[in-house]
Each structure stands twice: as structure tokens, then as C-alpha cells.
Amino acid sequence: MPSLLIRLNPQLLSNPDLDIRYELPDRLHELSNGLLRPDGFDYEDGADGLLIFMEADDLEAVIPVVINALENEEVLGNRLAMVARVGASPFDNADVLSDFVVIYPQDEAGSQMV
């Protein structure tokens, strides 16, 4: 099952409440009508990144939902468009940054998440 990764830098959040690791995936699950499902979180080794993993049956269908949410939704008082990077991976249960290719922001699209 394809995977999606959202990397946030908590230090750049207006409200650095780490409950965002639960709230954001739940909100994306809701907005995608269940097409996007939470798949855990981790903290980036040697950096400040919060890594939120999600899985989807159809990445093409959920990518616009994720981008729209980042640009237009507020989660725990945070607008996420300026502090988020999103990567996609065709691999089942991808869990390392090098498995993901950036799809958002657009100016970084095609590069690896590392």
C-alpha cells in the first residue's frame, strides 16, 4: 500500500503542541473520507522534524486533499503550508526518509525527503 509522509518542524509552528501528531492524521482521514489512514509517527534522527506517516490505497486521489488541507485548514491553531513537506512512496509501509519523494511544496517536488 502506498505511503505518504508529512514532515513538520515543531519549532516553526505557531502553537507547537505535539498533539498535532494525532490531530492532523485524524483530520486528513476525515477529509479524505477514509481514503487516507494514519500509520504512525516518529521524530527525525538528528533534526527537529516530526514525521507523520499515512497510507492510502490511491495516492493520486488523496494528494489534492492533503495539499488543500495544508493550505487551507488550521490544526491546533497552526497554518501548515509554510512548515510542512510532503513525500510520497510507492512502497508498502515505507518508514525511512529515503523511501519518499517530495510532492509538496511544489518548488521541491521530485527531490528526496532526506
Side-chain angles (χ1 to χ4, degrees), residues 51-105:
L51 308 175
I52 300 172
F53 296 92
M54 313 250 350
E55 63 180 17
D57 295 321
D58 182 356
L59 279 178
E60 296 294 322
V62 298
I63 289 171
V65 173
V66 172
I67 292 171
N68 185 57
L70 293 175
E71 293 181 346
N72 299 302
E73 293 277 322
E74 193 170 286
V75 181
L76 295 176
N78 295 291
R79 304 290 282 176
L80 301 175
M82 299 304 290
V83 299
R85 290 177 75 209
V86 180
S89 174
F91 304 122
D92 290 347
N93 301 318
D95 63 355
V96 294
L97 290 179
S98 60
D99 288 342
F100 293 88
V101 174
V102 175
I103 57 171
Y104 183 87

Side-chain angles (χ1 to χ4, degrees), residues 102-113:
V102 175
I103 57 171
Y104 183 87
Q106 186 62 38
D107 63 343
E108 294 182 37
S111 61
Q112 283 197 310
M113 287 291 284

